[in-house]
């Protein structure tokens, strides 16, 4: 009996020893695996040379009047805007792209039709390669500007006495002012880009090819298109649809970021046509002040100023129009959100 007990105790002791050895072996293997894992080199994050952003805005306005002695009309406004940027920078090369889209309309109780308040398509692309001079780069610049659809000026419709004008009366009384590719401005220039500060850039292109396109024959005279040889001034199709220019362009861009909620941007573009009165500059000046009041709502003030001697906008006689300064201003409040990538 004693031999049996001694044999059983020996088996138990041997099993415990083997178990301890297995435990020690497993612990050693785990420690070795952990050491090997910590010894592996860290994988560096993938380098990106692009900085992208997409600003979206929707603005709404409304006015209602009840027994208002001073007069006026109930009205509603709705406008949307997109400002997209895609900028590339690697070593000495930069490539900046920006697309601005604006569209808005107004409905007023005095006119049973929608009237446009804003309409713009504006694309810019700017390439640069640094020179040996600090802050100075060789540059190539491309711009394209037009609008989405037709825009009209509404006159007072004729109607029978005692009857309110119908929708068709209003449509018959309107005058076409502009449209898609009527006009469109596009140019490509070669020159120098100077960026002494992150918030300031000046691009001078002494060699700039400029194209003005007016697709609609009815608008070609308004935008100063050339009359074909032997053509009739009263016939729109007798005007050329494209006007070519060769000149110099100066573009100045500034963006001041005051803090996380307020910024101001301005752009001034001057173009001189060597082939057609080079001293008469074409001027475009845009300004925008952006105040983000809450996470999703912002107040925006924007202005656009244009002067182009080829665009006849001011009526000085029944059949005579002359060039004049064009100015537009918007003060808007509404929803805003920006998507950005992170390096």
């Amino acid at each position: 009996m004693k031999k049996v007990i001694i044999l059983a105790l020996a088996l138990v002791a041997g099993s415990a020893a083997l178990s301890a050895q297995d435990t020690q072996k497993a612990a050693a293997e785990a420690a070795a695996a952990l050491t090997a894992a910590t010894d592996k080199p860290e994988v560096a994050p993938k380098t990106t040379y692009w900085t992208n952003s997409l600003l979206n805005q929707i603005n709404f306005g409304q006015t209602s009047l009840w027994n208002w002695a001073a007069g006026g009309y109930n009205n509603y406004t709705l406008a949307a805007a997109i400002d997209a940027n895609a900028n590339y920078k690697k070593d000495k090369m930069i490539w900046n792209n920006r697309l601005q889209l604006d569209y808005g309309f107004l409905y007023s109780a005095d006119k049973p039709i929608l009237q446009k308040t804003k309409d713009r398509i504006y694309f810019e692309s700017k390439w640069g390669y640094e020179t040996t001079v600090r802050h100075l780069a060789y540059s190539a610049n491309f711009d394209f500007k037009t609008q989405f659809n037709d825009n009209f000026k509404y006159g007072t419709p004729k109607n029978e006495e005692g009857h309110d004008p119908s929708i068709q009366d209003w449509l018959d009384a309107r005058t076409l002012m502009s449209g898609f590719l009527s006009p469109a401005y596009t140019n490509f220039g070669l020159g120098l880009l100077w960026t002494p500060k992150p918030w300031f850039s000046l691009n001078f292109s002494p060699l700039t090819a400029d194209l003005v396109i007016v697709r609609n024959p009815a608008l070609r005279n308004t935008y100063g298109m050339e009359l074909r040889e032997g053509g009739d001034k009263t016939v729109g199709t007798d005007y050329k649809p494209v006007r070519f220019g060769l000149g110099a362009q100066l573009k100045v861009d500034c963006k001041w970021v005051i803090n996380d909620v307020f910024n101001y941007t301005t752009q001034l573009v001057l173009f001189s046509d060597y082939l057609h009165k080079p001293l008469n500059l074409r001027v475009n000046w845009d300004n925008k002040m952006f105040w983000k009041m809450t996470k999703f709502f912002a107040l925006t003030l924007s202005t656009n100023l244009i002067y182009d001697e080829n665009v006849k906008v001011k009526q000085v006689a029944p059949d005579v129009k002359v060039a004049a300064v064009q100015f537009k201003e918007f003060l808007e409040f509404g929803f805003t959100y920006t998507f950005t990538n992170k390096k």
Side-chain angles (χ1 to χ4, degrees):
M1 183 67 180
K2 290 182 179 179
K3 292 181 178 181
V4 173
I5 295 173
I6 292 172
L7 180 61
L9 292 173
L11 291 173
V12 170
S15 175
L18 291 173
S19 176
Q21 290 178 359
D22 291 342
T23 303
Q24 291 176 355
K25 183 178 180 181
E29 291 177 351
L34 181 62
T35 302
T38 55
D39 288 342
K40 289 183 179 179
E42 295 185 359
V43 179
K46 186 178 179 181
T47 303
T48 177
Y49 301 102
W50 287 95
T51 303
N52 306 320
S53 67
L54 177 63
L55 172 65
N56 302 271
Q57 288 184 286
I58 299 177
N59 301 299
F60 175 76
Q62 182 261 342
T63 301
S64 294
L65 306 171
W66 290 273
N67 300 322
W68 191 253
Y73 298 96
N74 297 341
N75 63 77
Y76 306 89
T77 61
L78 181 64
I82 289 176
D83 190 346
N85 292 266
N87 301 327
Y88 177 89
K89 181 173 176 56
K90 182 181 180 182
D91 300 329
K92 294 185 176 183
M93 189 180 79
I94 63 169
W95 183 26
N96 297 337
N97 301 276
R98 185 181 186 187
L99 175 65
Q100 298 177 73
L101 305 176
D102 297 277
Y103 196 86
F105 56 85
L106 161 74
Y107 178 83
S108 180
D110 64 323
K111 296 182 180 69
I113 49 177
L114 290 177
Q115 304 169 71
K116 261 200 316 182
T117 56
K118 58 194 304 187
D119 185 357
R120 185 170 74 150
I121 302 171
Y122 185 23
F123 174 71
E124 304 173 80
S125 185
K126 181 168 55 182
W127 175 89
Y129 192 86
E130 294 179 6
T131 68
T132 55
V133 180
R134 190 181 181 188
H135 305 309
L136 196 65
Y138 303 112
S139 70
N141 187 83
F142 174 79
D143 293 343
F144 174 78
K145 184 184 296 184
T146 188
Q147 62 190 61
F148 286 99
N149 54 18
D150 292 342
N151 188 37
F152 298 91
K153 180 178 181 180
Y154 291 89
T156 303
K158 297 179 180 179
N159 64 300
E160 296 180 6
E161 187 175 352
H163 296 276
D164 290 333
S166 65
I167 294 178
Q168 190 59 49
D169 291 332
W170 283 104
L171 296 178
D172 292 340
R174 64 186 182 177
T175 302
L176 181 64
M177 302 298 291
S178 59
F180 178 67
L181 296 180
S182 296
Y185 299 92
T186 181
N187 62 58
F188 177 77
L190 300 174
L192 294 172
L193 174 65
W194 183 48
T195 53
K197 300 291 182 180
W199 49 266
F200 177 87
S201 71
L202 185 151
N203 191 89
F204 177 61
S205 303
L207 185 62
T208 300
D210 181 78
L211 287 179
V212 180
I213 304 168
V214 181
R215 179 180 58 88
N216 192 328
L219 296 170
R220 290 174 186 169
N221 185 32
T222 301
Y223 289 94
M225 307 308 286
E226 296 177 354
L227 187 67
R228 301 181 192 273
E229 187 175 353
D232 185 347
K233 291 184 178 181
T234 62
V235 179
T237 53
D238 283 355
Y239 289 89
K240 297 179 181 179
V242 177
R243 185 175 71 246
F244 175 77
L246 180 65
Q249 178 175 275
L250 178 69
K251 179 186 289 188
V252 180
D253 287 281
C254 298
K255 182 174 182 178
W256 289 281
V257 179
I258 309 303
N259 50 39
D260 292 339
V261 298
F262 186 85
N263 65 67
Y264 168 67
T265 59
T266 183
Q267 182 186 79
L268 175 65
V269 182
L270 305 176
F271 176 74
S272 171
D273 191 342
Y274 299 146
L275 306 179
H276 305 92
K277 300 180 181 178
L279 296 180
N280 294 344
L281 300 179
R282 188 172 74 206
V283 181
N284 287 266
W285 185 23
D286 298 337
N287 294 275
K288 180 177 287 187
M289 286 182 284
F290 181 80
W291 180 20
K292 194 170 185 180
M293 305 179 72
T294 67
K295 183 177 181 180
F296 296 111
F297 291 91
L299 185 69
T300 306
L301 173 64
S302 57
T303 66
N304 307 109
L305 183 147
I306 299 173
Y307 179 77
D308 186 346
E309 72 157 10
N310 294 307
V311 181
K312 313 302 181 184
V313 294
K314 186 175 181 180
Q315 194 88 37
V316 294
D319 295 320
V320 180
K321 288 185 177 181
V322 297
V325 173
Q326 306 169 56
F327 184 78
K328 183 168 58 175
E329 177 265 335
F330 291 99
L331 179 62
E332 301 170 305
F333 174 78
F335 173 83
T336 183
Y337 191 78
T338 303
F339 298 92
T340 59
N341 72 327
K342 297 181 179 179
K343 289 188 175 182

